[in-house]
Amino acid sequence: GENVEQHPSTLSVQEGDSAVIKCTYSDSASNYFPWYKQELGKGPQLIIDIRSNVGEKKDQRIAVTLNKTAKHFSLHITETQPEDSAVYFCAGSQGGGADGLTFGKGTHLIIQP
Amino acid sequence: DAGITQSPRHKVTETGTPVTLRCHQTENHRYMYWYRQDPGHGLRLIHYSYGVKDTDKGEVSDGYSVSRSKTEDFLLTLESATSSQTSVYFCAISEFRGDTEAFFGQGTRLTVV
């Protein structure tokens, strides 16, 4: 089955700087890679996603890049703000007809004022 | 927010007792999922459903069963709770299969003592 590795586990950046979180996946049949943001006491919320036929996708301050050959994808947040502080999870779809998502272990992003 | 309600939100139970968690959706989505979230493990898929009475196992299904008798309800049952099942449980729904956007509920914190 799919295996998703996520780094770093904790990331501290100054407000206004950029943050980058990286993930790798193992199943070449995976074709969908979402990123979720989870605030304390809440469920994960989708912030951006990318499909395997696209190399990059942007939504305001957030962007995701995908390298299918290397099997890795990254989340980029520019001009970080205090409200960006949260835990971020990457995920990959299950290949081979199975359903559900395989998640990375999460990155705790801390925005320093 | 997607119309997903999990109940109860918090529960403390004793080892060996049966426990049922409920997920109710108002979106009429076909796919429903149960995940558990533990420190250092991210979210892991327990079971999922692809229609009424159609369910399948996920990565960590041992000790859990599910049922879906109506489109809107997906039940997760711990037949005989163990301390290793202390976790936060999240229900998720998606309109199409696993390689599309999934919406998460607020979670149920279960403690087995």
Side-chain angles (χ1 to χ4, degrees):
Chain A
E2 173 71 289
N3 182 49
V4 176
E5 300 282 344
Q6 182 172 347
H7 300 280
S9 57
T10 303
L11 178 60
S12 180
V13 301
Q14 290 294 123
E15 182 179 349
D17 288 350
S18 296
V20 180
I21 303 170
K22 298 182 179 181
C23 290
T24 61
Y25 63 97
S26 62
D27 189 347
S28 57
S30 294
N31 62 357
Y32 176 66
F33 305 94
W35 285 89
Y36 284 84
K37 176 183 180 182
Q38 186 178 28
E39 297 175 338
L40 197 61
K42 297 185 177 181
Q45 186 170 18
L46 181 75
I47 55 171
I48 196 167
D49 56 12
I50 192 166
R51 297 196 174 275
S52 57
N53 58 348
V54 175
E56 184 176 3
K57 184 177 179 181
K58 290 183 179 180
D59 183 2
Q60 299 182 3
R61 297 186 297 108
I62 295 173
V64 57
T65 58
L66 171 65
N67 183 325
K68 283 176 52 181
T69 302
K71 294 183 187 173
H72 67 71
F73 56 113
S74 300
L75 177 71
H76 304 254
I77 304 174
T78 59
E79 301 174 9
T80 53
Q81 301 170 2
E83 54 265 36
D84 294 329
S85 293
V87 179
Y88 292 80
F89 293 95
C90 63
S93 61
Q94 306 266 15
D99 224 312
L101 295 167
T102 299
F103 284 82
K105 295 182 179 180
T107 296
H108 185 194
L109 177 62
I110 301 165
I111 308 301
Q112 302 279 7
Chain B
D1 290 345
I4 307 170
T5 304
Q6 291 186 232
S7 58
R9 293 293 313 279
H10 302 271
K11 186 171 181 66
V12 179
T13 192
E14 294 186 349
T15 299
T17 60
V19 177
T20 295
L21 309 183
R22 181 184 184 230
C23 178
H24 178 79
Q25 60 141 332
T26 58
E27 305 297 322
N28 200 36
H29 283 358
R30 177 181 177 186
Y31 293 85
M32 299 185 75
Y33 309 85
W34 278 107
Y35 291 87
R36 61 177 289 173
Q37 184 174 34
D38 305 289
H41 289 277
L43 292 106
R44 293 178 291 174
L45 183 66
I46 305 171
H47 280 280
Y48 64 96
S49 169
Y50 47 97
V52 173
K53 298 186 179 177
D54 291 323
T55 65
D56 206 346
K57 297 179 179 180
E59 177 189 356
V60 291
S61 60
D62 287 349
Y64 302 94
S65 63
V66 291
S67 65
R68 191 169 178 200
S69 59
K70 299 184 291 185
T71 298
E72 57 266 36
D73 290 326
F74 193 30
L75 305 180
L76 177 70
T77 297
L78 291 65
E79 302 291 347
S80 178
T82 67
S83 58
S84 64
Q85 293 175 313
T86 292
S87 187
V88 181
Y89 292 86
F90 286 98
C91 173
I93 64 173
S94 64
E95 187 171 6
F96 305 107
R97 56 167 293 161
D99 53 355
T100 54
E101 181 175 4
F103 300 92
F104 282 79
Q106 293 284 73
T108 294
R109 180 173 295 277
L110 177 68
T111 303
V112 183
V113 298

